[in-house]
Amino acid sequence: MGLFGSRTITVPCTVEIEQTPESLHAHVTLAGGFEIAPGDEVLVHDAPTSVPYGERLTVNRTATITRAGPLERAWTKLIAHLELTELYEVSFSERRKL
């Protein structure tokens, strides 16, 4: 893997989708303990997109992980930091009547 290059890995995964009064979520768990890092992309093949209300679905699928190269990883971290700082805008001015 070079400075700009990336590599792909195919791994099994588990997809869980739930739409009940208690929870509305979708989770993907990768087999083999793969950790996803900034800039990486995950594509789950043939993943279900919904379940009827009141149900929970768990299926096994395959996922392709595209690892980011060092430059792409650094760029992603920088952009994420800059976007996060937009949330820091806070005002400490007093509320005065005009």
Side-chain angles (χ1 to χ4, degrees):
M1 178 169 57
L3 185 62
F4 299 101
S6 58
R7 62 186 173 112
T8 59
I9 305 163
T10 302
V11 297
C13 68
T14 303
V15 178
E16 178 187 307
I17 301 176
E18 182 174 344
Q19 185 176 205
T20 63
E22 295 80 29
S23 181
L24 173 63
H25 69 265
H27 297 284
V28 174
T29 305
L30 301 173
F34 279 94
E35 294 292 324
I36 302 302
D40 291 348
E41 296 178 15
V42 177
L43 174 64
V44 179
H45 303 280
D46 297 322
T49 56
S50 65
V51 295
Y53 183 77
E55 293 187 21
R56 177 181 181 183
L57 175 68
T58 302
V59 294
N60 294 317
R61 295 292 187 256
T62 302
T64 300
I65 304 168
T66 304
R67 295 285 193 192
L71 187 59
E72 186 178 14
R73 192 170 312 284
W75 177 254
T76 302
K77 286 180 180 181
L78 174 67
I79 294 302
H81 179 72
L82 294 175
E83 289 180 1
L84 180 64
T85 58
E86 290 179 13
L87 300 175
Y88 294 155
E89 185 176 322
V90 178
S91 173
F92 293 101
S93 61
E94 295 180 19
R95 293 185 181 210
R96 296 182 183 171
K97 293 182 180 180
L98 296 176

